[in-house]
Amino acid sequence: LRAAEAVCEASAGWAADRLAAGQEPFEVSVSVTTGPVIFGAVGDESRLEYTVIGDAVNLAAKLDKQNKVEKSRVLTTRETFERAERQGFEPRGSARRLDARRVEGVAEPVDLVALDRTASR
């Protein structure tokens, strides 16, 4: 989650630079989940790609779309957020708890946490 906040902070600076240069700004959002995954190189010698698969990866992809619905920069599951807090994570901005959200492609409602804009250090 610290890395997700850092990515969003860095991208905000880049977007501001683009705007100042008369270019179209953009906004980056990040989704974070935890869980078992399988990772490695897949393919053959003509086309080899590094990939990650698993339920946590699939959920992260769905949460990435949910970022637009929630108008959030960083979106994570409550379970992941609480695990990070137990490890000493403190959000730089505010953390909005979003209970029982319907996420497209997920059968059951999911408890989420949105980390809102962070202050620059």
Side-chain angles (χ1 to χ4, degrees):
L1 290 174
R2 284 185 189 117
E5 287 182 326
V7 165
C8 288
E9 287 176 10
S11 70
W14 189 17
D17 291 346
R18 289 180 54 86
L19 185 62
Q23 298 173 324
E24 187 71 27
F26 61 89
E27 191 166 295
V28 171
S29 62
V30 180
S31 301
V32 179
T33 61
T34 53
V37 299
I38 297 172
F39 63 95
V42 176
D44 60 27
E45 54 195 46
S46 67
R47 183 172 176 164
L48 196 59
E49 294 183 11
Y50 186 82
T51 191
V52 182
I53 59 174
D55 289 341
V57 177
N58 295 337
L59 179 56
K62 291 170 183 163
L63 291 184
D64 193 48
K65 292 178 183 176
Q66 189 74 16
N67 259 319
K68 291 176 181 64
V69 173
E70 305 297 347
K71 296 179 176 41
S72 53
R73 299 288 309 272
V74 177
L75 193 61
T76 188
T77 62
R78 179 170 290 174
E79 176 186 357
T80 298
F81 181 78
E82 289 174 351
R83 179 179 288 185
E85 281 185 313
R86 287 191 300 272
Q87 295 174 16
F89 173 73
E90 293 180 16
R92 293 180 183 167
S94 63
R96 287 185 291 134
R97 294 183 187 270
L98 308 168
D99 295 331
R101 289 302 217 245
R102 289 283 180 191
V103 176
E104 186 177 337
V106 178
E108 297 296 319
V110 183
D111 291 335
L112 302 173
V113 175
L115 303 181
D116 292 319
R117 290 194 186 277
T118 57
S120 297
R121 286 187 164 191

